[in-house]
């Protein structure tokens, strides 16, 4: 069964709704992969990405974020997925990953990648799986 967005929440790709200061605070202070990230770096990442926000429907308060780096033709990288601690455990992370998957589906991308140290089950619920041949992949830069 496909995950549904819980009642009272909405997901939007409207960049005007993003709270860049809040996103920076979440990622630079609480996300293990982005601790200490500079605000300028985060702003540039937002500007160069397809962004998704999770919002409380009534107040419009931002409660989650994800960004996708993609050419919209062959490849996408899902990253910086974050749900505010106060609303974790409600299925928002899974719903956000499903919204990203569904948004990207019409592009017919060959591959959508992500990396996670601790949320494998969240992404598996929407179809992500471990690499079958990780030895084929290489990286340039920090590991």
């Amino acid at each position: 069964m496909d995950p549904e967005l819980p009642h009272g929440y909405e997901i939007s790709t409207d960049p005007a709704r993003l709270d860049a200061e809040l996103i920076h605070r979440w990622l630079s202070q609480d996300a293990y992969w982005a601790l200490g990230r500079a605000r300028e770096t985060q702003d540039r990442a937002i500007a160069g990405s397809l962004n998704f926000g999770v919002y409380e429907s009534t107040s419009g308060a931002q409660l989650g974020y994800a960004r996708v780096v993609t050419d919209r033709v062959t490849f996408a990288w899902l990253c910086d997925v974050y749900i505010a601690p106060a609303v974790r455990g409600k299925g928002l992370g899974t719903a956000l990953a499903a919204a990203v998957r569904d948004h990207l589906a019409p592009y017919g991308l060959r591959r959508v990648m992500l990396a996670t140290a601790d949320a494998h089950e969240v992404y598996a619920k929407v179809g992500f799986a471990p690499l079958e041949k990780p030895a084929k992949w290489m990286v340039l830069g920090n590991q």
Side-chain angles (χ1 to χ4, degrees):
M1 183 173 175
D2 218 20
E4 293 186 21
L5 184 63
H7 179 72
Y9 301 95
E10 58 191 33
I11 295 175
S12 173
T13 58
D14 180 357
R17 293 186 69 183
L18 296 172
D19 183 338
E21 180 179 336
L22 177 63
I23 293 166
H24 175 254
R25 186 169 58 249
W26 283 340
L27 297 178
S28 68
Q29 295 178 11
D30 191 42
Y32 67 84
W33 64 90
L35 292 176
R37 184 181 288 170
R39 172 67 191 268
E40 178 187 353
T41 300
Q42 185 60 51
D43 288 348
R44 288 174 42 219
I46 289 170
S49 301
L50 172 60
N51 299 279
F52 294 77
V54 179
Y55 304 92
E56 199 275 325
S57 297
T58 306
S59 70
Q62 188 168 355
L63 301 169
Y65 176 72
R67 71 183 181 93
V68 176
V69 180
T70 183
D71 60 8
R72 292 181 172 93
V73 179
T74 63
F75 182 83
W77 177 262
L78 172 59
C79 54
D80 288 345
V81 180
Y82 187 91
I83 300 295
V87 293
R88 290 182 188 159
K90 296 183 178 194
L92 294 173
T94 302
L96 179 56
V100 169
R101 178 202 60 204
D102 295 348
H103 186 92
L104 295 175
Y107 298 127
L109 304 174
R110 179 174 180 191
R111 185 172 291 115
V112 179
M113 304 287 296
L114 64 83
T116 183
D118 59 359
H120 296 79
E121 69 285 347
V122 170
Y123 300 107
K125 290 177 186 175
V126 300
F128 284 89
L131 288 171
E132 288 182 15
K133 297 180 182 179
K136 289 176 52 176
W137 293 85
M138 297 181 72
V139 64
L140 176 65
N142 293 340
Q143 295 197 41

